[in-house]
Amino acid sequence: MALFSAGKVGLLLAATGVAHFVVPERFAELTKQAFPEDTDQWVQRNGAAETAIGLALMARPLRKGGKLALVGYLGWLGYNAANVAQSG
């Protein structure tokens, strides 16, 4: 059994996504690095995205799309964080 199977990563990602709604203050500082404006809304948006991607990774029929979504999501977060760092 793989240490980091797609299903396990999906479970962890979905749990992290839900945590954005349960304890949003824990994600505010990190989220602010990529989204300095409307940070509270972005905490919720990111939580929703992570939950959805995590669930897709857990469901075998949706796994391929979940993997693509995860790569796109991580790239998009990195792009926003890099742009904020350059401008600020």
Side-chain angles (χ1 to χ4, degrees), residues 59-86:
R60 191 171 299 279
L62 303 176
R63 194 163 288 160
K64 187 174 184 177
K67 289 177 181 179
L68 291 172
L70 180 58
V71 169
Y73 178 67
L74 292 174
W76 177 72
L77 286 176
Y79 173 80
N80 280 304
N83 279 341
V84 169
Q86 278 185 338

Side-chain angles (χ1 to χ4, degrees), residues 5-18 21 45-77:
S5 68
K8 288 177 185 177
V9 171
L11 178 62
L12 290 172
L13 187 59
T16 301
V18 170
F21 297 98
R45 291 173 185 160
N46 289 337
E50 290 172 18
T51 302
I53 294 168
L55 292 174
L57 290 171
M58 290 170 58
R60 191 171 299 279
L62 303 176
R63 194 163 288 160
K64 187 174 184 177
K67 289 177 181 179
L68 291 172
L70 180 58
V71 169
Y73 178 67
L74 292 174
W76 177 72
L77 286 176

Side-chain angles (χ1 to χ4, degrees), residues 11-58:
L11 178 62
L12 290 172
L13 187 59
T16 301
V18 170
H20 280 68
F21 297 98
V22 178
V23 285
E25 61 277 2
R26 300 285 240 164
F27 297 91
E29 194 59 38
L30 181 62
T31 301
K32 192 176 220 172
Q33 293 176 25
F35 305 99
E37 297 178 17
D38 300 324
T39 301
D40 291 339
Q41 287 183 355
W42 281 108
V43 168
Q44 293 178 352
R45 291 173 185 160
N46 289 337
E50 290 172 18
T51 302
I53 294 168
L55 292 174
L57 290 171
M58 290 170 58

